[in-house]
PDB file of all heavy atoms in Angstrom:
ATOM      1  N   SER B 701      24.836 -22.251 -35.601  1.00 96.00           N
ATOM      2  CA  SER B 701      25.991 -21.661 -36.288  1.00 96.00           C
ATOM      3  C   SER B 701      25.637 -21.289 -37.725  1.00 96.00           C
ATOM      4  O   SER B 701      26.512 -20.954 -38.505  1.00 96.00           O
ATOM      5  CB  SER B 701      27.182 -22.613 -36.238  1.00 96.00           C
ATOM      6  OG  SER B 701      26.792 -23.875 -36.707  1.00 96.00           O
ATOM      7  N   PRO B 719      26.542 -16.668 -32.679  1.00 98.00           N
ATOM      8  CA  PRO B 719      27.378 -15.481 -32.868  1.00 98.00           C
ATOM      9  C   PRO B 719      26.717 -14.523 -33.860  1.00 98.00           C
ATOM     10  O   PRO B 719      26.196 -14.966 -34.892  1.00 98.00           O
ATOM     11  CB  PRO B 719      28.680 -16.052 -33.457  1.00 98.00           C
ATOM     12  CG  PRO B 719      28.632 -17.523 -33.201  1.00 98.00           C
ATOM     13  CD  PRO B 719      27.189 -17.899 -33.168  1.00 98.00           C
ATOM     14  N   SER B 721      27.082 -10.528 -35.663  1.00 97.00           N
ATOM     15  CA  SER B 721      27.669  -9.189 -35.829  1.00 97.00           C
ATOM     16  C   SER B 721      27.055  -8.505 -37.042  1.00 97.00           C
ATOM     17  O   SER B 721      27.604  -7.539 -37.543  1.00 97.00           O
ATOM     18  CB  SER B 721      29.193  -9.268 -35.944  1.00 97.00           C
ATOM     19  OG  SER B 721      29.554  -9.982 -37.104  1.00 97.00           O
ATOM     20  N   ALA B 722      25.917  -9.050 -37.506  1.00 97.00           N
ATOM     21  CA  ALA B 722      25.277  -8.465 -38.686  1.00 97.00           C
ATOM     22  C   ALA B 722      24.551  -7.175 -38.304  1.00 97.00           C
ATOM     23  O   ALA B 722      24.494  -6.803 -37.135  1.00 97.00           O
ATOM     24  CB  ALA B 722      24.309  -9.473 -39.301  1.00 97.00           C
ATOM     25  N   LYS B 750      34.545 -16.409 -32.634  1.00 88.00           N
ATOM     26  CA  LYS B 750      33.254 -16.702 -33.225  1.00 88.00           C
ATOM     27  C   LYS B 750      33.149 -16.040 -34.586  1.00 88.00           C
ATOM     28  O   LYS B 750      33.792 -15.024 -34.840  1.00 88.00           O
ATOM     29  CB  LYS B 750      32.146 -16.156 -32.312  1.00 88.00           C
ATOM     30  CG  LYS B 750      32.012 -16.907 -31.005  1.00 88.00           C
ATOM     31  CD  LYS B 750      31.385 -16.026 -29.933  1.00 88.00           C
ATOM     32  CE  LYS B 750      32.449 -15.356 -29.070  1.00 88.00           C
ATOM     33  NZ  LYS B 750      31.935 -14.602 -27.930  1.00 88.00           N
ATOM     34  N   SER B 751      32.304 -16.615 -35.436  1.00 96.00           N
ATOM     35  CA  SER B 751      31.976 -15.890 -36.658  1.00 96.00           C
ATOM     36  C   SER B 751      30.471 -15.833 -36.795  1.00 96.00           C
ATOM     37  O   SER B 751      29.759 -16.793 -36.492  1.00 96.00           O
ATOM     38  CB  SER B 751      32.634 -16.521 -37.877  1.00 96.00           C
ATOM     39  OG  SER B 751      32.165 -17.825 -38.062  1.00 96.00           O
ATOM     40  N   CYS B 752      29.980 -14.693 -37.243  1.00 97.00           N
ATOM     41  CA  CYS B 752      28.544 -14.417 -37.315  1.00 97.00           C
ATOM     42  C   CYS B 752      27.849 -15.475 -38.150  1.00 97.00           C
ATOM     43  O   CYS B 752      28.267 -15.773 -39.270  1.00 97.00           O
ATOM     44  CB  CYS B 752      28.340 -13.030 -37.911  1.00 97.00           C
ATOM     45  SG  CYS B 752      26.605 -12.616 -38.202  1.00 97.00           S
ATOM     46  N   PHE B 753      26.772 -16.061 -37.584  1.00 97.00           N
ATOM     47  CA  PHE B 753      26.102 -17.152 -38.319  1.00 97.00           C
ATOM     48  C   PHE B 753      25.377 -16.627 -39.555  1.00 97.00           C
ATOM     49  O   PHE B 753      25.047 -17.398 -40.444  1.00 97.00           O
ATOM     50  CB  PHE B 753      25.153 -17.938 -37.418  1.00 97.00           C
ATOM     51  CG  PHE B 753      23.904 -17.206 -36.964  1.00 97.00           C
ATOM     52  CD1 PHE B 753      22.824 -17.035 -37.844  1.00 97.00           C
ATOM     53  CD2 PHE B 753      23.790 -16.721 -35.662  1.00 97.00           C
ATOM     54  CE1 PHE B 753      21.679 -16.387 -37.424  1.00 97.00           C
ATOM     55  CE2 PHE B 753      22.645 -16.054 -35.261  1.00 97.00           C
ATOM     56  CZ  PHE B 753      21.588 -15.883 -36.141  1.00 97.00           C
ATOM     57  N   MET B 754      25.181 -15.345 -39.645  1.00 97.00           N
ATOM     58  CA  MET B 754      24.461 -14.784 -40.791  1.00 97.00           C
ATOM     59  C   MET B 754      25.412 -14.357 -41.888  1.00 97.00           C
ATOM     60  O   MET B 754      25.180 -14.630 -43.059  1.00 97.00           O
ATOM     61  CB  MET B 754      23.624 -13.582 -40.311  1.00 97.00           C
ATOM     62  CG  MET B 754      22.693 -13.000 -41.365  1.00 97.00           C
ATOM     63  SD  MET B 754      21.474 -14.201 -41.962  1.00 97.00           S
ATOM     64  CE  MET B 754      19.991 -13.586 -41.157  1.00 97.00           C
ATOM     65  N   THR B 755      26.516 -13.698 -41.490  1.00 97.00           N
ATOM     66  CA  THR B 755      27.406 -13.095 -42.493  1.00 97.00           C
ATOM     67  C   THR B 755      28.753 -13.810 -42.596  1.00 97.00           C
ATOM     68  O   THR B 755      29.474 -13.619 -43.569  1.00 97.00           O
ATOM     69  CB  THR B 755      27.706 -11.622 -42.127  1.00 97.00           C
ATOM     70  OG1 THR B 755      28.379 -11.605 -40.852  1.00 97.00           O
ATOM     71  CG2 THR B 755      26.427 -10.820 -42.039  1.00 97.00           C
ATOM     72  N   GLY B 756      29.099 -14.590 -41.602  1.00 97.00           N
ATOM     73  CA  GLY B 756      30.413 -15.211 -41.591  1.00 97.00           C
ATOM     74  C   GLY B 756      31.515 -14.285 -41.104  1.00 97.00           C
ATOM     75  O   GLY B 756      32.649 -14.702 -40.903  1.00 97.00           O
ATOM     76  N   ASN B 757      31.182 -13.026 -40.888  1.00 97.00           N
ATOM     77  CA  ASN B 757      32.182 -12.084 -40.375  1.00 97.00           C
ATOM     78  C   ASN B 757      32.518 -12.405 -38.922  1.00 97.00           C
ATOM     79  O   ASN B 757      31.757 -13.083 -38.236  1.00 97.00           O
ATOM     80  CB  ASN B 757      31.632 -10.650 -40.442  1.00 97.00           C
ATOM     81  CG  ASN B 757      31.446 -10.187 -41.878  1.00 97.00           C
ATOM     82  OD1 ASN B 757      32.131 -10.676 -42.780  1.00 97.00           O
ATOM     83  ND2 ASN B 757      30.489  -9.276 -42.070  1.00 97.00           N
ATOM     84  N   PRO B 758      33.673 -11.888 -38.448  1.00 96.00           N
ATOM     85  CA  PRO B 758      33.994 -12.099 -37.031  1.00 96.00           C
ATOM     86  C   PRO B 758      32.885 -11.529 -36.149  1.00 96.00           C
ATOM     87  O   PRO B 758      32.309 -10.478 -36.476  1.00 96.00           O
ATOM     88  CB  PRO B 758      35.287 -11.299 -36.828  1.00 96.00           C
ATOM     89  CG  PRO B 758      35.856 -11.120 -38.186  1.00 96.00           C
ATOM     90  CD  PRO B 758      34.712 -11.113 -39.142  1.00 96.00           C
ATOM     91  N   ALA B 759      32.575 -12.218 -35.062  1.00 96.00           N
ATOM     92  CA  ALA B 759      31.536 -11.753 -34.140  1.00 96.00           C
ATOM     93  C   ALA B 759      32.085 -11.774 -32.733  1.00 96.00           C
ATOM     94  O   ALA B 759      32.681 -12.773 -32.304  1.00 96.00           O
ATOM     95  CB  ALA B 759      30.297 -12.626 -34.239  1.00 96.00           C
TER      96      ALA B 759
END
Side-chain angles (χ1 to χ4, degrees):
Chain B
S701 52
S721 64
K750 291 155 265 186
S751 62
C752 175
F753 69 77
M754 187 60 106
T755 62
N757 293 334

